[in-house]
Amino acid sequence: MGSLSSRVLRQPGRARPSQEPGPGVGGSARRPEAGGDAAGPGFCYCRGSRKRKRSSGAFCYCHPDSETDEDEEEGDEQQRLLNTPRRNERKITWKIKYWIIIGAFFFLKSGYFSSMFSGSWKESSMNIIELEIPDQNIDIEALQVAFGSLYRDDVLIKPSRVTAILAAACMLQLDGLIQQCGETMKETINVKTVCGYYTSAGTYGLDSVRKKCLEWLLNNLMTHQNVELFKELSINVMKQLIGSSNLFVMQVEMDVYTALKKWMFLQLVPSWNGSLKQLLTETDVWFSKRKKDFESMAFLETEQGKPFMSVFRHLRLQYIISDLASARIIEQDSLVPSEWLSSVYKQQWLAMLRAEQDSEVGPQEINKEELEGNSMRCGRKLAKDGEYCWRWTGFNFGFDLLVTYTNRYIIFKRNTLNQPCSGSVSLQPRRSIAFRLRLASFDSSGKLVCSRTTGYQILTLEKDQEQVVMNLDSRLLIFPLYICCNFLYISPEKRTENNHHPENPEN
């Protein structure tokens, strides 16, 4: 095979080389004429090298970031172009081309070129290969890094460039570089990168990166709310988050509804530019104005609202209507169809009757599917070490649960007589609850520093009995500390099939 050269599209700003290399013999390039460029055996034609004169367009893949003083002005213009936001469609065609000559040995490290040269493809007998770049994520700098990785195992990958480099690595089938891009993405997930990484990981098949991004979002969506993040989150991603039992909810389910309302507003009005503190007020005003235009239907039933309906279906409405203030807000907002609320009111009323009149004492066994789909999600942030005692508001079928944090212990207590509480309290001798408790601390980028969970458990308590459910070691005492719980006070009613056969008409 002769010498190989690749022709790729470049940005305007570099001149076409004055000469193009011709075919060589035995894998060596033709010796350049005076003033020309070629990569001969044993030479490294880096910019600034004394072995060669500066020529237009050629560069060294050993040092893709190197530049001479003569290139600085041109490099500044290239950097400006590379940092210019890309349009949805490529409007400018890069017409000026440059040529490179690389030994076939290095090309064969790429699965893309290896299959090209080892098969019956026409390129296997060609001296000059023209590369077509169908992926708009790939640019000149990304190709430089990708080709540079053929010469060295590790290359420097900046988080701002990782998507473009990953795209180039996937096109050239450079498994090592793909893996390095994946590790870089996992280590640099934050509020600014998570959505882009999630999308890129899906496009280029990095399932482990997608999983990491989803975990980060489940941990941070509610604990560290952010206006720009709400704008970037797609409907499909938000659907996964709201439907998950692993969502780290702060306070109660009503706060999930409030976060969804703000997210939907920012999806509809992405130009809004304000602080997180202003967001809820602006959201309520915006929806209130549109409520007047759709008095006979909920917003999710309108043309604007229908795309978001699938996300709101994952709300656990039974834990919103259990609190009077929350029930009033969700009714007044008129975002959710009234039929949804009516069915939930009926469901909760029948569950209350079972708890009061059918001696329902709570879950008796762990049903993971039931817990993940129907448990109450609630959480609390402890800003500093100390002693805390709280309850999550709402009617929980007469089971008043107090949660205490003291001396590194988290304690659950069934309150019946010792402390006042709103609503009725069940006086049954024993009541059971299914729960899972999780603790977590995060660094400034939202990365999980440490965590601990009890897993799903059944806890049976007598009147005013308390039980230690977790003992924290010193490694978990990194404040602020986030506590998230899943509770199931009463199992959903089991539906049984009608086993009666119709009577024989002859009888």
Side-chain angles (χ1 to χ4, degrees):
M1 182 183 301
S3 62
L4 303 173
S5 66
S6 299
R7 184 174 67 188
V8 300
L9 299 178
R10 284 194 74 195
Q11 301 140 284
R14 291 193 182 273
R16 182 189 297 274
S18 58
Q19 297 185 17
E20 296 180 357
V25 180
S28 299
R30 181 170 62 86
R31 181 177 296 276
E33 302 295 337
D37 287 318
F43 295 95
C44 177
Y45 288 97
C46 300
R47 293 179 177 177
S49 171
R50 297 175 182 267
K51 299 282 186 181
R52 60 185 287 276
K53 295 182 180 179
R54 178 180 177 272
S55 67
S56 55
F59 62 90
C60 174
Y61 287 119
C62 299
H63 302 86
D65 296 328
S66 62
E67 290 186 356
T68 62
D69 293 339
E70 296 171 313
D71 285 337
E72 287 182 358
E73 181 177 352
E74 188 176 12
D76 291 341
E77 175 64 13
Q78 178 178 349
Q79 187 65 32
R80 184 187 67 79
L81 292 171
L82 288 174
N83 288 332
T84 301
R86 189 184 303 275
R87 296 178 181 271
N88 290 335
E89 297 180 2
R90 186 171 294 177
K91 299 296 185 182
I92 300 174
T93 302
W94 294 331
K95 295 185 179 297
I96 299 177
K97 305 176 178 68
Y98 66 91
W99 302 85
I100 61 169
I101 302 174
I102 291 182
F105 172 77
F106 292 102
F107 268 116
L108 295 179
K109 291 183 178 181
S110 161
Y112 178 84
F113 289 114
S114 178
S115 60
M116 178 186 292
F117 298 147
S118 62
S120 58
W121 301 98
K122 65 178 182 179
E123 287 85 356
S124 61
S125 60
M126 294 173 63
N127 293 323
I128 297 175
I129 308 290
E130 180 173 346
L131 295 181
E132 294 185 5
I133 311 298
D135 191 337
Q136 293 192 14
N137 286 327
I138 301 175
D139 57 21
I140 297 298
E141 186 179 344
L143 284 172
Q144 288 180 340
V145 174
F147 280 122
S149 71
L150 296 172
Y151 289 86
R152 50 188 179 183
D153 293 333
D154 283 330
V155 294
L156 178 63
I157 301 177
K158 298 178 181 178
S160 60
R161 300 293 306 148
V162 68
T163 295
I165 295 170
L166 174 62
C170 287
M171 188 195 82
L172 298 176
Q173 301 173 34
L174 301 172
D175 293 339
L177 186 56
I178 292 171
Q179 182 178 358
Q180 189 180 347
C181 287
E183 293 304 316
T184 299
M185 294 167 85
K186 290 178 187 177
E187 290 299 318
T188 57
I189 296 174
N190 57 49
V191 69
K192 294 182 179 179
T193 63
V194 63
C195 291
Y197 284 178
Y198 183 87
T199 301
S200 298
T203 300
Y204 302 109
L206 297 183
D207 292 338
S208 61
V209 175
R210 275 173 65 92
K211 183 179 178 181
K212 277 285 184 183
C213 289
L214 196 62
E215 288 177 356
W216 189 96
L217 288 168
L218 287 168
N219 288 336
N220 287 273
L221 178 69
M222 299 293 297
T223 58
H224 303 88
Q225 293 189 34
N226 182 277
V227 172
E228 294 305 317
L229 179 61
F230 279 161
K231 288 182 180 181
E232 287 191 64
L233 284 171
S234 69
I235 289 175
N236 286 333
V237 173
M238 188 61 91
K239 191 190 308 182
Q240 293 184 66
L241 299 177
I242 301 303
S244 175
S245 64
N246 293 324
L247 180 64
F248 229 96
V249 173
M250 287 294 97
Q251 299 306 326
V252 290
E253 192 76 16
M254 182 62 185
D255 296 276
V256 181
Y257 165 80
T258 302
L260 266 190
K261 184 167 58 172
K262 293 186 287 189
W263 164 78
M264 183 166 62
F265 165 71
L266 290 173
Q267 296 292 303
L268 294 167
V269 192
S271 61
W272 186 83
N273 187 19
S275 68
L276 186 63
K277 290 182 178 180
Q278 299 169 321
L279 181 54
L280 181 57
T281 300
E282 292 290 329
T283 298
D284 286 335
V285 170
W286 193 88
F287 282 114
S288 179
K289 290 179 179 178
R290 276 135 193 89
K291 181 181 176 182
K292 299 174 183 178
D293 299 330
F294 307 105
E295 292 183 357
S296 61
M297 63 175 67
F299 182 80
L300 292 178
E301 296 174 308
T302 67
E303 289 303 315
Q304 276 187 304
K306 282 180 181 178
F308 305 98
M309 188 176 285
S310 61
V311 181
F312 277 79
R313 282 192 181 277
H314 288 285
L315 280 171
R316 304 185 180 188
L317 295 172
Q318 65 269 36
Y319 301 113
I320 294 178
I321 65 165
S322 64
D323 175 68
L324 180 59
S326 300
R328 284 175 172 167
I329 290 173
I330 199 170
E331 291 271 7
Q332 291 170 2
D333 283 349
S334 193
L335 300 180
V336 175
S338 58
E339 293 80 6
W340 294 11
L341 296 175
S342 298
S343 63
V344 175
Y345 285 130
K346 178 181 178 181
Q347 167 193 320
Q348 292 300 89
W349 174 251
L350 292 175
M352 186 186 72
L353 292 178
R354 282 195 294 121
E356 291 296 320
Q357 299 179 14
D358 200 24
S359 299
E360 173 73 48
V361 297
Q364 299 299 301
E365 59 183 16
I366 298 295
N367 184 327
K368 188 175 180 181
E369 181 180 356
E370 186 178 87
L371 282 163
E372 290 186 345
N374 297 286
S375 59
M376 170 179 157
R377 303 176 292 190
C378 48
R380 181 75 181 261
K381 174 184 175 181
L382 305 185
K384 58 183 180 179
D385 200 7
E387 293 190 357
Y388 300 88
C389 182
W390 70 92
R391 58 165 61 87
W392 284 288
T393 59
F395 177 73
N396 298 315
F397 308 103
F399 198 136
D400 185 45
L401 188 68
L402 297 178
V403 183
T404 302
Y405 169 78
T406 180
N407 297 325
R408 299 186 182 182
Y409 291 101
I410 295 181
I411 301 168
F412 288 172
K413 179 180 179 180
R414 179 190 171 193
N415 177 51
T416 54
L417 303 173
N418 291 345
Q419 295 191 36
C421 67
S422 59
S424 62
V425 173
S426 172
L427 297 179
Q428 292 187 29
R430 295 164 67 86
R431 288 289 302 269
S432 297
I433 185 174
F435 77 97
R436 179 185 63 174
L437 173 66
R438 291 182 293 155
L439 302 180
S441 294
F442 308 100
D443 65 14
S444 58
S445 69
K447 184 178 180 180
L448 194 66
V449 176
C450 58
S451 64
R452 188 175 173 186
T453 179
T454 62
Y456 288 112
Q457 296 185 20
I458 298 287
L459 180 64
T460 301
L461 297 173
E462 298 180 357
K463 297 177 184 179
D464 294 307
Q465 182 183 356
E466 61 182 34
Q467 177 72 44
V468 174
V469 293
M470 184 177 286
N471 180 12
L472 283 67
D473 56 40
S474 58
R475 292 175 299 171
L476 277 172
L477 293 179
I478 302 175
F479 291 88
L481 185 67
Y482 294 87
I483 299 175
C484 187
C485 292
N486 293 71
F487 291 122
L488 193 64
Y489 291 93
I490 182 169
S491 299
E493 187 173 8
K494 302 295 188 296
R495 298 183 180 275
T496 57
E497 296 292 333
N498 184 1
N499 296 320
H500 296 287
H501 298 283
E503 295 183 0
N504 190 330
E506 296 180 357
N507 296 333

